[in-house]
Every structure is written in structure tokens, then in C-alpha cells.
Amino acid sequence: MMPILDQIHRPLRDLRISVIDRCNHRCPYCMPSEKFHHAYQFLEKEQWLSFEEIERLARIFVALGVKKLRLTGGEPLLRPRIDELIRALSTINGAEDLALTTNGSLLTEWAPRLKAAGLRRLTVSLDSLDPAVFKQLSGDRGKVEDVLAGIQAAEQAGFQSIKINAVIHRGINDHTLLDLVRHFRGTVHVLRFIEYMDVGNQNHWDYKYVVPSSEIIRMIEAEYPLRRLEGTEGGETSERYAFTDGQGEIGFVSSVSQAFCGTCSRLRLSADGKMYTCLFAASGTDLREHVRQGASDTFLEHLISVAWMRREDRYSELRSQIRQSNPKFSKVEMYHIGG
Ligand code: SAM
Ligand code: SF4
Ligand code: SF4
């Protein structure tokens, strides 16, 4: 089947499904604790898409050309019985990949069940190995040893190459990034450094906190020479490099310094069933409302295709223009659509 194309000829290939808006961490760059305190009104459970609703929508997305499904959150391992959803999604013909992004703190108990349910790949977020820095970047909620134990449990459960995502913030964890490199070099896991982005409106983002990938690469190369690898898959966001001494691979997601909107093939579904065509979208299309009012598959396919075909988003390429002309531009929050 021909993929559906948006206004700048990008095919719809990836779907990120947020299964919950709650999280057990309070990373200051995503859910700062002063905003997300005990009285914060998260979605009620009835507002979450049910597993049946998610599976039905996922089948429709796959019929429209989606090849990769990724579960995210909030923290997806907080969604009760997440393994049952994974089991259902793993049976969808045409979904070539099924992955999950987690902060790793509950992975020790979950890893075997995730693997048994049919999850193919895992991404674990880990911003620093320094316990104090990690504590600060998890909003005083997480422990680095739990995440490392979770990664080990995932290896033992049979996840072969795990992606480790680290968001780097100048003056906060940039002095610890080489420790991460040393730790994951020589393993089968792929560490990826991600530039801090101005997602949402809550995280007080400023360009001065962004450490461009080029600078991180220079820091790494001073110790470990790297060689650029060609041939990232379509829609893949990370630039891949290999250590020239054969000690594995490392990646860089340069969403701020080198926007990759031109190849962005991602759609996002929030836990309450809103579909967003960009990480920086101001609003989404409410699919849950239609699902609960008895919409047919044909109608939902039409709604999704029209939203994709009208898509013109390329926020990252236009970031400075948009921020200058409309500094109060309201965007969806990261914890709502899961990155
Ligand atoms: N809770 C899970 C986790 O942390 O892996 C899944 C959801 S989290 C929103 C997904 C990813 O988004 C994490 O790797 C996180 O570091 C990243 N993220 C959150 N806010 C970000 C920001 N402002 N800039 C760049 N990455 C961000
Ligand atoms: Fe939670 Fe992930 Fe956001 Fe951190 S980045 S607050 S772990 S959803
Ligand atoms: Fe895709 Fe929007 Fe990010 Fe550009 S800014 S890469 S269109 S999600």
C-alpha cells in the first residue's frame, strides 16, 4: 500500500502511544515538581484510552502505513497490566517494531513480563551515573542504582541491545556525560545523547542550557575517536557513530542544533486519545470522543488520514522564528505525549 504523505511528502510510519500521564519521577525539564505536586489533577482512569481502544486504533494506524509502535508516558510501567497491552499489540500484522521508553526505575520487576509479552525493544532514560546529579534530574524521586539494576534485569530477560537516552543540560549534567560513555562503551547497548528541547511551557527552557551535539562529540573524541556511520533508517532521529577502536556505537539526537523535521514520520497519541502531528503541537485531534461515540474504522481512518495529509509541522526548523514572533506559543507538554 502507498504510504499517506503530508504536505511536505513525509510518510506516516511511526506511532508513539502514551499510556499514562502520571510519573514516579519529577524531572525538572519535563514535570517540574513545583507544578506537578500532590494536588495536580492528572487524568482520571476513565479518561485513559482502554487497552481495547488502543489496540483498535493501533490496527487502524498500521493499516494506514505505520510500521513502528512505541509505548511511552508519563511512565508507561505505571499503567496497570501494561504487559497485556503489549501482548495485544504484538499480534498486529504489519507492525514491524514494538518498543517502550521507560525511566527504568520499575524495570527490575517488569523486564521478564515485558519480554514474555512480546516487547521487541527497550529505551531506558538515564541522564547521569552520578547519584546526586541523577537525584536532581529525577526531581528527587529516582535512584541511579535502580535504573542500572533495571538495565541488567532487561539484559537477563533477553533484551539484546537497549537504547540509553541521556538529555544533557549545560551546567547540570554535562560534566558527567563522559562517565556514561565509559560505562556503556564496549557493551551491546547504545547510548544516545539528546539535546534539551523547549517542549511544553513548564520547563523554563533557554538556549543557554542546550549543549549542541557537536560540542558533546568533541568532548568524547578527545578521549575516544569516533567514526560517523551512514545509513540511519527512515524516520530515525539519531546520528550514529562508532568508536574507532571497535567498542560499539553511540548516537546523538540533535533536535535543536540540527532539526530533522524533513524526515519526521511520527504521530503521537496521548493517554486520553488525542492525536498530535508534532511534538510541539498546540492542539490535537480527539480520537477517543469518536471511538466512544461508535465511529466506524472507515471514519477513523479518514479522520487520521486527513490530519496527516494536512500536516505542515516543522517546529524545530522554525524554532527561532516562532519563539521570536510568538514567545507565548502554547505547546503540548512532554509528559502528556511522551516524547
Ligand atoms: N518516563 C519515560 C522516560 O523518561 O523514559 C517515558 C516518557 S519521557 C517524556 C520520554 C523521553 O523524553 C525521556 O527520554 C526524556 O528524557 C525525554 N524528555 C523529556 N523532556 C525533554 C526535554 N525537554 N528535552 C529533551 N528530551 C526530553
Ligand atoms: Fe517522568 Fe519521563 Fe518526564 Fe522524567 S522524562 S518526568 S521520567 S515522563
Ligand atoms: Fe517532527 Fe515536529 Fe519534531 Fe519537527 S519539530 S521533528 S515535525 S515532531
Side-chain angles (χ1 to χ4, degrees):
M1 182 191 134
M2 286 291 288
I4 48 173
L5 301 178
D6 71 5
Q7 290 292 308
I8 42 178
H9 308 293
R10 298 169 295 189
L12 169 57
R13 287 288 184 225
D14 305 76
L15 178 66
R16 303 195 141 216
I17 307 170
S18 171
V19 292
I20 191 164
D21 61 339
R22 294 163 202 240
C23 188
N24 47 359
H25 287 187
R26 286 291 179 275
C27 308
Y29 54 86
C30 177
M31 297 177 79
S33 50
E34 70 272 15
K35 296 256 168 54
F36 298 90
H37 42 65
H38 66 281
Y40 184 82
Q41 281 289 312
F42 288 101
L43 294 171
E44 299 294 338
K45 290 189 179 149
E46 313 75 66
Q47 294 176 288
W48 296 344
L49 286 178
S50 69
F51 287 171
E52 291 71 27
E53 288 168 338
I54 294 176
E55 183 189 347
R56 178 176 174 213
L57 288 172
R59 284 187 189 278
I60 293 173
F61 280 109
V62 170
L64 288 172
V66 163
K67 301 277 181 224
K68 294 184 181 175
L69 301 173
R70 176 173 293 275
L71 300 178
T72 176
E75 174 46 44
L77 300 185
L78 289 180
R79 176 84 191 240
R81 306 187 316 281
I82 185 73
D83 50 329
E84 290 176 18
L85 175 64
I86 292 169
R87 190 161 284 117
L89 297 179
S90 71
T91 65
I92 301 179
N93 276 336
E96 292 166 7
D97 197 12
L98 179 56
L100 178 139
T101 305
T102 171
N103 62 32
S105 54
L106 299 172
L107 201 48
T108 308
E109 57 181 281
W110 271 106
R113 278 180 284 167
L114 300 178
K115 187 70 190 167
L119 187 70
R120 300 244 184 113
R121 291 188 307 121
L122 261 179
T123 299
V124 178
S125 305
L126 175 57
D127 296 336
S128 180
L129 291 173
D130 180 307
V133 176
F134 184 88
K135 194 168 174 235
Q136 181 190 1
L137 281 173
S138 65
D140 212 0
R141 299 285 183 106
K143 286 202 192 114
V144 73
E145 59 264 32
D146 291 344
V147 183
L148 291 174
I151 293 170
Q152 204 175 5
E155 281 170 18
Q156 281 161 3
F159 288 99
Q160 289 180 348
S161 174
I162 300 169
K163 282 185 189 156
I164 313 292
N165 278 359
V167 181
I168 300 302
H169 310 254
R170 191 180 300 283
I172 298 176
N173 65 341
D174 48 345
H175 63 294
T176 67
L177 72 85
L178 281 174
D179 297 341
L180 280 166
V181 174
R182 289 183 199 111
H183 187 89
F184 289 105
R185 230 176 79 82
T187 71
V188 289
H189 309 313
V190 179
L191 176 64
R192 305 185 323 159
F193 288 111
I194 301 183
E195 290 177 351
Y196 175 33
M197 293 183 279
D198 53 334
V199 204
N201 312 286
Q202 317 268 13
N203 63 9
H204 311 295
W205 183 89
D206 192 296
Y207 193 77
K208 68 182 182 203
Y209 298 120
V210 178
V211 185
S213 297
S214 54
E215 191 177 326
I216 302 180
I217 291 171
R218 276 199 302 278
M219 285 166 75
I220 299 172
E221 285 208 300
E223 232 170 280
Y224 306 110
L226 297 173
R227 173 172 54 84
R228 176 86 194 258
L229 296 173
E230 295 304 329
T232 47
E233 297 165 50
E236 186 65 61
T237 53
S238 136
E239 290 158 34
R240 297 166 53 217
Y241 283 73
F243 292 103
T244 54
D245 61 0
Q247 293 300 301
E249 217 181 279
I250 190 160
F252 301 89
V253 182
S254 318
S255 9
V256 178
S257 66
Q258 283 169 273
F260 38 76
C261 300
T263 56
C264 178
S265 53
R266 295 179 170 186
L267 239 171
R268 296 170 159 91
L269 189 60
S270 66
D272 59 349
K274 294 202 177 64
M275 175 178 74
Y276 294 87
T277 54
C278 178
L279 187 51
F280 299 88
S283 62
T285 308
D286 191 347
L287 296 182
R288 190 193 63 190
E289 179 199 331
H290 294 287
V291 167
R292 294 197 180 164
Q293 283 170 5
S296 66
D297 284 6
T298 315
F299 178 81
L300 292 166
E301 267 179 31
H302 174 73
L303 202 64
I304 296 164
S305 314
V306 167
W308 188 264
M309 288 190 294
R310 286 191 180 145
R311 176 181 191 245
E312 294 179 321
D313 311 84
R314 46 193 197 102
Y315 176 86
S316 287
E317 285 182 356
L318 305 174
R319 175 175 280 107
S320 31
Q321 276 161 263
I322 296 176
R323 289 182 70 86
Q324 228 168 23
S325 62
N326 187 2
K328 293 213 165 21
F329 178 66
S330 169
K331 298 167 258 150
V332 61
E333 295 298 327
M334 186 71 125
Y335 76 95
H336 193 60
I337 51 170

